[in-house]
Amino acid sequence: MNERPAQTPPPSPADFGFTVDHRLETGGASGSDGRPLGRAGTISTPHGEIQTPAFIPVGTKATVKALLPATVSELGGQAVLANAYHLFLQPGSDLVDEAGGLGRFMNWDGPTFTDSGGFQVMSLGVGFRKVISMAEADHASAEVIAETKDRLAHVDEDGVTFKSFINGDTHRFTPEVSMRIQHQLGADIIFAFDECTTLLNTRPYQEDSVARTERWAVRCLDEHARQTADRTHRPYQALFGVVQGAQYEDLRRQAAGGLARLTGAEATGQRFDGYGIGGALEKSQLGTIVSWVSDELPEDKPRHLLGISEPDDLFAGVAAGADTFDCVAPSRQARGGTMYSSSGRINAKAAAQRRRFEPLDPECDCYTCENYTAAYLHHLFKAKEMLASTLATIHNERYIVRMVEQIRQSIIDGDFAELRDETLGRLYGPEFARTAAAAWS
């Protein structure tokens, strides 16, 4: 008598989880009810756990530039974040789906994230830049809003029309399209389609954008539920809503509180599994803005701060309740020769490094610093050897990953404030550390 094959259980939100293991008792912000916002926790996904706080290396096109996936794991990377828009254009989300999903395609067996394409609404449209200015004075309004330039993205109520930067083809992204693409990519954590604004958008536009992002969020929840029901051959993918609102407290709190209560219009049982904090964050107010958002969000769901990796911003974000972070800066700066170190930035191409026969950062435990000298790295950059990018990226990624590991341990050990003051004092000077401590406490 033939036995029937075992049935694979359908994907379920129960396959994803988050627990708070320790709370930041001193040196951080508190919510309106007096509870500490900073915490150390554990995110559980179908492809493994993420110990938080954690920095997530960015692999935009299914690769962390210049690094093997095994190298990312060896330097402490717990997960990788890829870009849905770029993978949609090349090689195509359908191809990644056919390959078995993002992790299998890139030979990464840990957790994966994909963003929604919302950032490209800003960078290819109104922002016309690859990065968001964190200070209003950095760019003239015409530069950031790009009124006089040929935009590659146009926003309307239904979604966004993109022009491919590769060949000029026109593509249409809506909340439903973004969800379908991200389900094909198969990441463990995906983000709702949102409109990312800049600091220089007007207050009325920010209000309209927050409302539009919430309407899009409802559509994302409904499509996410449909895709989950249709694609039972894949593990459950956790959907994070994205909080916008720029530098305005009322808009940030409104956006966060609204997303926390939101369900799909049709899938009324579908809620967000976590939350992203995105958009324009004025650097001097980063911790304050994140604390507004954290205060409105549920305690039992993770919070991801999008596009942040500077050491002072990481300490501020953790103190204000953020759990995970991502940014291209460590790898992008490494490829240009800008290196992090325990005593401040180092230009690997500078003449001072030419005869420096010691590790770039003697306190670093990365593969590069344990095996090569600053002089050798300097030579590689000057000779334009490809190995320069690999060794530099290993160091920069390990530096940030390790820093966030240390922040996590300091929360557990109860010495977060001491680690913050010592680290920032060495990087930026004791006066900066004292000012920062006063601002965040």
Side-chain angles (χ1 to χ4, degrees):
M1 189 173 173
N2 294 329
E3 293 185 5
R4 297 179 63 185
Q7 295 294 310
T8 302
S12 164
D15 298 333
F16 176 85
F18 175 69
T19 58
V20 175
D21 304 323
H22 300 272
R23 297 189 184 279
L24 178 58
E25 297 297 339
T26 59
S30 297
S32 55
D33 59 359
R35 60 183 167 85
L37 295 174
R39 68 264 185 98
T42 303
I43 298 173
S44 302
T45 80
H47 291 94
E49 294 183 343
I50 303 170
Q51 304 298 312
T52 68
F55 178 75
I56 312 301
V58 176
T60 300
K61 300 179 182 179
T63 174
V64 179
K65 285 181 170 55
L67 299 186
L68 291 170
T71 306
V72 177
S73 181
E74 289 165 4
L75 62 81
Q78 300 181 68
V80 172
L81 182 145
N83 185 290
Y85 173 72
H86 286 282
L87 290 177
F88 163 75
L89 291 179
Q90 188 182 55
S93 54
D94 58 332
L95 186 148
V96 176
D97 190 18
E98 187 178 342
L102 175 63
R104 184 168 296 177
F105 185 53
M106 66 180 290
N107 193 31
W108 171 263
D109 60 7
T112 51
F113 293 59
T114 51
D115 61 11
S116 68
F119 178 77
Q120 279 65 40
V121 174
M122 188 286 301
S123 65
L124 300 177
V126 296
F128 208 79
R129 288 177 176 267
K130 291 183 179 180
V131 297
I132 301 177
S133 170
M134 294 182 71
E136 291 189 30
D138 281 357
H139 307 297
S141 177
E143 286 184 315
V144 179
I145 305 301
E147 292 179 348
T148 61
K149 297 181 180 179
D150 181 23
R151 304 184 190 191
L152 299 183
H154 296 267
V155 181
D156 57 52
E157 176 58 31
D158 185 58
V160 181
T161 301
F162 286 97
K163 183 185 292 185
S164 169
F165 68 93
I166 295 175
N167 58 15
D169 288 351
T170 298
H171 302 281
R172 182 70 177 165
F173 264 46
T174 65
E176 292 78 12
V177 169
S178 177
M179 288 297 95
R180 290 195 288 270
I181 289 169
Q182 291 188 80
H183 271 267
Q184 287 182 319
L185 295 175
D188 295 288
I189 295 173
I190 64 179
F191 288 87
F193 192 58
D194 65 305
E195 181 184 7
C196 181
T197 59
T198 77
L199 287 172
L200 295 180
N201 286 107
T202 65
R203 165 72 193 221
Y205 191 90
Q206 300 284 7
E207 294 172 355
D208 291 343
S209 179
V210 165
R212 178 163 44 248
T213 290
E214 183 167 314
R215 291 192 293 271
W216 286 0
V218 174
R219 293 164 59 186
C220 286
L221 287 165
D222 282 334
E223 185 61 29
H224 177 58
R226 285 191 288 267
Q227 292 293 320
T228 300
D230 290 345
R231 295 171 56 84
T232 57
H233 61 297
R234 294 282 194 248
Y236 181 74
Q237 296 173 258
L239 176 60
F240 283 27
V242 181
V243 180
Q244 295 289 345
Q247 68 271 42
Y248 301 103
E249 180 176 4
D250 59 331
L251 292 185
R252 285 286 182 179
R253 288 186 179 275
Q254 172 192 325
L259 293 178
R261 296 184 293 270
L262 208 62
T263 69
E266 300 171 7
T268 55
Q270 182 71 63
R271 292 180 177 273
F272 287 117
D273 302 290
Y275 303 89
I277 304 172
L281 293 165
E282 192 167 9
K283 187 177 179 71
S284 63
Q285 296 297 314
L286 183 144
T288 300
I289 294 171
V290 173
S291 70
W292 297 335
V293 173
S294 298
D295 191 32
E296 300 292 333
L297 293 177
E299 267 286 286
D300 61 349
K301 294 186 178 181
R303 309 158 188 152
H304 181 88
L305 185 52
L306 291 146
I308 295 298
S309 68
E310 288 301 305
D312 55 326
D313 296 331
L314 292 170
F315 278 98
V318 170
D323 301 301
T324 52
F325 308 81
D326 77 275
C327 192
V328 298
S331 57
R332 180 178 289 167
Q333 292 185 22
R335 296 194 303 276
T338 299
M339 312 298 296
Y340 302 141
S341 85
S342 54
S343 56
R345 275 181 173 58
I346 295 173
N347 179 2
K349 300 177 182 179
Q353 307 303 317
R354 186 165 182 257
R355 284 188 164 83
R356 189 174 160 222
F357 301 112
E358 64 178 6
L360 183 86
D361 183 356
E363 298 183 24
C364 181
D365 64 357
C366 78
Y367 172 83
T368 301
C369 290
E370 288 186 342
N371 291 278
Y372 299 97
T373 65
Y376 181 65
L377 192 59
H378 172 85
H379 157 68
L380 293 176
F381 273 110
K382 287 299 185 179
K384 295 183 169 53
E385 288 289 342
M386 289 187 289
L387 185 57
S389 291
T390 296
L391 294 181
T393 304
I394 288 172
H395 170 78
N396 272 7
E397 291 286 354
R398 174 57 185 159
Y399 179 89
I400 297 299
V401 165
R402 185 179 62 151
M403 176 176 290
V404 182
E405 288 176 351
Q406 292 170 335
I407 291 174
R408 171 183 165 81
Q409 192 61 46
S410 75
I411 295 173
I412 296 171
D413 295 341
D415 56 7
F416 171 84
E418 291 83 352
L419 175 68
R420 176 198 63 201
D421 295 349
E422 178 187 356
T423 302
L424 299 185
R426 294 181 66 182
L427 290 176
Y428 308 114
E431 182 59 33
F432 178 94
R434 284 192 293 270
T435 302
W440 302 336
S441 300

